[in-house]
Structures are given as C-alpha cells and as structure tokens.
Amino acid sequence: MLAARFAEVVLPHLGDALSLARWLTGNAADAEDVVQEACLKAHAGIAGFAGGNPRAWLLAIVRNASYTWMARNRPRAVVAVGDLADLDDVSPPDSSDSPEAALIAKANSAAIEAAIARLPEVFRETLVLRDINGLSYREIAAMLGVPQGTVMSRLARARSLLMTDIGGRHHEPA
C-alpha cells in the first residue's frame, strides 16, 4: 500500500527533484546523492502525506536534503557551479538551426547558467523554484518559511541581478 502511494506521489516528480538538487548542489553526482536521501525521507514520511501538491512536497524534502547534505559534505568556502551538461536539457538546439546558431544558443545558455550560479543563494533558490520548477509564490513561501511578499521581492531582485549580470557581461569588450 505504501509502495503504491510512494510510486503515485513521488516517482512522477523525480526529474524535477533531480533538477532542483542539481541547481542547489552544483553538479549531477551530488544531486543524485541528495535525491536518493530525499527519496528515503519521502518513503519514510509517505504515510503522513496528507494530499495537496505532491511535487511541492517532494521539492521541499529535496531542498532540505540538499542543504543538509552540503552542510555535511562541503566546506562553506566552496562555491557550486552547475554542470554544463544540464544546459542540453534546458534548451536543446532546433534541428533546423545552422551549426553556428546552435553554438550561439549553447553559449547563451551557458552564460545564463553561470549568471544564475553567481546569484546569492536566497535569490538563486527562489528563482529556480519559481522560474525553472514552476512553483507558485504560495508554495515557495511555505517551503522557505517566509511570507509571499518576501518570495516576490526575492524573485524580483534575483531577476534584476540576473539581467544586470548578463547585460554587463554581454557588453564587455572581448
């Protein structure tokens, strides 16, 4: 019974869980470890899942597992930068594009990925949860334990910092 509930609630959202863990930890290998831990926690707590949004429930577990894992396994001075291989999942080049256009698109994706990785953690986390994982302001607020207004403010600030970073780097002389 619990295995079936786990399969229904958790398994459809494993891709999103892995994506969030990659953004938070900075690489695929660590993300896989985090998601494995999160799945164990979700399995242990599946009987207590009262309904609602299973995706938001799982992503909250992944978020907490990510920070716990990083606190145990990384010195605080380490700065995480995502895997560039993740960019292939974000925006695959159109097969009708020329090789040059595909290369430009990949370079643009890399610049965006790097700019997101440079954001302060609270802004990066909010941006990823909203713009990449598509959670609502309410879900993010509940997950982070902050008011919805704080989520909106952090998201606006994250987007502003991202645009400033990308715009400033885009106009630098080569």
Side-chain angles (χ1 to χ4, degrees):
M1 177 79 170
L2 290 179
R5 181 127 167 101
F6 180 84
E8 175 188 328
V9 171
V10 174
L11 295 183
H13 307 292
L14 282 181
D16 292 334
L18 189 57
S19 175
L20 176 60
R22 270 190 239 140
W23 278 107
L24 294 177
T25 64
N27 70 61
D30 293 347
E32 289 170 1
D33 290 343
V34 166
V35 171
Q36 185 175 7
E37 273 189 42
C39 283
L40 291 172
K41 290 178 183 183
H43 190 270
I46 196 70
F49 177 65
N53 185 337
R55 185 168 171 260
W57 179 74
L58 177 61
L59 293 181
I61 294 170
V62 169
R63 175 189 177 265
N64 293 335
S66 295
Y67 290 125
T68 301
W69 188 92
M70 288 188 297
R72 272 194 327 256
N73 295 293
R74 290 197 183 151
R76 292 202 183 270
V78 171
V79 176
V81 179
D83 289 344
L84 292 179
D86 295 343
L87 295 174
D88 296 333
D89 298 334
V90 175
S91 64
D94 186 10
S95 59
S96 65
D97 285 343
S98 69
E100 294 83 7
L103 185 60
I104 291 169
K106 195 164 192 161
N108 288 341
S109 293
I112 292 169
E113 163 106 9
I116 291 171
R118 284 189 295 273
L119 288 173
E121 188 175 297
V122 294
F123 299 133
R124 181 178 66 237
E125 170 180 71
T126 305
L127 182 84
V128 168
L129 290 170
R130 176 68 182 157
D131 290 346
I132 295 175
N133 287 306
L135 294 180
S136 70
Y137 295 123
R138 181 176 303 187
E139 291 167 333
I140 297 168
M143 184 183 294
L144 303 180
V146 297
Q148 275 185 299
T150 301
V151 171
M152 295 156 106
S153 173
R154 286 179 182 176
L155 185 60
R157 182 76 174 134
R159 289 173 177 163
S160 174
L161 289 169
L162 194 61
M163 294 307 295
T164 300
D165 187 358
I166 292 170
R169 292 181 187 280
H170 195 59
H171 294 93
E172 289 177 358

